[in-house]
Amino acid sequence: MAAGVYRSLSQGLRRITPFGSRLYSDEARTVTLIPGDGIGPEISAAVQEIFAAASAPIKWETSDVTAIKGPGGKYIIPQEAQESMNKNKIGLKGPLKTPVGKGHPSMNLLLRKTFQLYANVRPCKSIEGYKTPYPDVDLVTIRENTEGEYSGIEHMIVDGVVQSIKLITEPASRRVAEFAFDFARAQGRDTVTAVHKANIMRMSDGLFLKCCREVAEDNKDIRFEEMYLDTVCLNMVQDPTQFDVLVMPNLYGDILSDLCAGLIGGLGVTPSGNIGADGVAIFESVHGTAPDIAGKDLANPTALLLSAVMMLRHLGLHDHARRIETAAFETIKEGTALTGDLGGKAKCSDFTREVSKKVQEIE
């Protein structure tokens, strides 16, 4: 189904191996780098520095995705960025600013739709040496990434009344369900939970759930469960260890994946990958642009770095991924170069320097 997906968290983590045909040698690969806004450029530079220290065979092709109006007045991503992604197939993206209630639409949504990035994969695993109230989290959220409430279909019926359409289709629902089961099998995981509200939205979520049930029938080696979204949230904060792989429509995935990130320390330490059609994949940090600290050397590059590690595994560069990942987690465990969001006083450059030093010492 998918060309290959990789988890990115280290010690004790079961690593995904490719279950498609796309494997790459140590020959340098060109990756489209979208630095993003706010702190994006500095955390992107940190990743580049660490990759250079690790001698990772990656060439970076920097691209801008500032919204522009295309023919007909609709917003599109710049042609140069489209061409870069179409050519390279693999991208790494920093945070992008989205205007609230006005201006251009979310560039994240435009990227997903442009490249049919249908599955967002976000692993959440407790980090050794970084204490949170939940020490044994080890789960993955898989979010349908192209439709649902985020389809962008809204209109005003009359003044003061706005209608937003939730679009759910059988092909998209079946595709992400199949992806979730393939992912679980490749991971050596044993349970897929479909998250829904089909008791209320009987047609839309009902269709999503129907597709999940039908796919489950073809994957009897993986246990299948279904659970209401509100019940999942309740149980998640009580005992997240009861969950394994969760698959859900777009909006639910946006909310629940952030909740799960909070269990392990926040969005600053949570990686993310978006798997698309035709071999395209974009890996990204999912935190905000943090304009209040932009340019002050205070940003935490961990989330983007771990997403880049996912990217390396997706490319079959497992040794480089292992070394960078190990160096990052050893730095966090030691606690002497933590940025402010992780409870430390170090700067972005301090963390980057320490990870770069360690990665050169790891064989």
Side-chain angles (χ1 to χ4, degrees):
M1 175 71 183
V5 186
Y6 300 88
R7 295 185 73 186
S8 72
L9 301 178
S10 63
Q11 302 295 335
L13 180 65
R14 296 164 297 210
R15 282 176 168 76
I16 279 188
T17 53
F19 50 90
S21 59
R22 290 171 61 247
L23 284 173
Y24 301 96
S25 68
D26 280 352
E27 181 181 348
R29 280 298 311 275
T30 302
V31 169
T32 299
L33 176 64
I34 303 170
D37 304 314
I39 62 173
E42 53 199 294
I43 62 175
S44 297
V47 170
Q48 290 177 285
E49 183 176 332
I50 292 168
F51 268 46
S55 298
I58 297 295
K59 294 180 180 178
W60 304 100
E61 185 173 282
T62 303
S63 188
D64 174 49
V65 294
T66 302
I68 61 173
K69 281 191 176 181
K74 290 187 176 181
Y75 283 99
I76 60 173
I77 66 172
Q79 186 65 30
E80 180 184 351
Q82 292 190 45
E83 292 175 354
S84 179
M85 279 301 307
N86 287 333
K87 177 184 66 175
N88 299 326
K89 301 293 186 183
I90 305 299
L92 181 67
K93 181 183 74 66
L96 294 172
K97 181 180 179 181
T98 300
V100 179
K102 59 181 180 179
H104 65 76
S106 166
M107 295 308 298
N108 293 310
L109 290 180
L110 283 177
L111 284 168
R112 293 167 197 160
K113 290 182 178 181
T114 300
F115 300 110
Q116 280 297 295
L117 301 172
Y118 63 87
N120 174 257
V121 181
R122 208 186 289 189
C124 287
K125 181 177 172 64
S126 299
I127 300 172
E128 184 180 0
Y130 184 68
K131 293 183 179 180
T132 74
Y134 301 90
D136 299 312
V137 180
D138 186 5
L139 59 87
V140 182
T141 59
I142 297 178
R143 161 190 175 187
E144 201 293 315
N145 224 9
T146 62
E147 53 180 32
E149 291 88 347
Y150 290 3
S151 300
I153 307 172
E154 294 185 317
H155 58 271
M156 182 178 293
I157 299 176
V158 297
D159 286 346
V161 180
V162 174
Q163 183 178 60
S164 178
I165 296 176
K166 173 176 179 172
L167 180 68
I168 297 289
T169 66
E170 182 173 349
S173 299
R174 185 175 299 278
R175 178 170 61 177
V176 77
E178 290 174 347
F179 180 91
F181 279 92
D182 287 345
F183 181 95
R185 184 176 297 107
Q187 282 274 20
R189 291 178 174 271
D190 57 20
T191 304
V192 170
T193 301
V195 183
H196 67 95
K197 285 295 290 182
N199 58 325
I200 304 298
M201 287 166 279
R202 297 184 178 183
M203 295 185 69
S204 55
D205 280 25
L207 176 59
F208 179 83
L209 183 57
K210 173 179 176 287
C211 291
C212 289
R213 288 171 174 171
E214 290 174 353
V215 172
E217 285 296 314
D218 296 330
N219 293 273
K220 292 287 192 178
D221 56 318
I222 304 294
R223 184 165 65 247
F224 175 67
E225 297 177 347
E226 50 190 69
M227 192 175 294
Y228 298 144
L229 172 65
D230 44 346
T231 304
V232 171
C233 292
L234 172 63
N235 292 347
M236 185 71 72
V237 298
Q238 289 178 327
D239 178 18
T241 64
Q242 64 188 284
F243 295 105
D244 196 0
V245 176
L246 303 99
V247 61
M248 65 212 77
N250 205 336
L251 175 63
Y252 306 161
D254 191 10
I255 296 169
L256 189 58
S257 60
D258 276 14
L259 186 154
C260 294
L263 303 178
I264 65 168
L267 295 176
V269 294
T270 304
S272 178
N274 299 283
I275 308 302
D278 301 321
V280 175
I282 295 180
F283 301 85
E284 62 180 348
S285 56
V286 290
H287 53 69
T289 59
D292 56 320
I293 62 170
K296 298 180 181 179
D297 196 21
L298 298 176
N300 176 9
T302 302
L304 189 62
L305 180 63
L306 296 181
S307 299
V309 168
M310 290 180 73
M311 179 192 76
L312 288 176
R313 292 202 174 104
H314 184 77
L315 293 172
L317 298 170
H318 301 288
D319 186 60
H320 293 91
R322 174 190 60 81
R323 290 171 55 224
I324 293 172
E325 179 180 73
T326 300
F329 282 106
E330 285 185 357
T331 300
I332 292 174
K333 185 177 180 180
E334 287 179 3
T336 58
L338 299 182
T339 51
D341 61 312
L342 298 181
K345 296 182 179 180
K347 295 183 176 181
C348 177
S349 56
D350 297 327
F351 179 86
T352 303
R353 192 177 306 111
E354 187 63 25
V355 176
S356 297
K357 176 185 175 183
K358 281 180 165 49
V359 80
Q360 292 176 321
E361 297 171 349
I362 296 171
E363 296 183 357

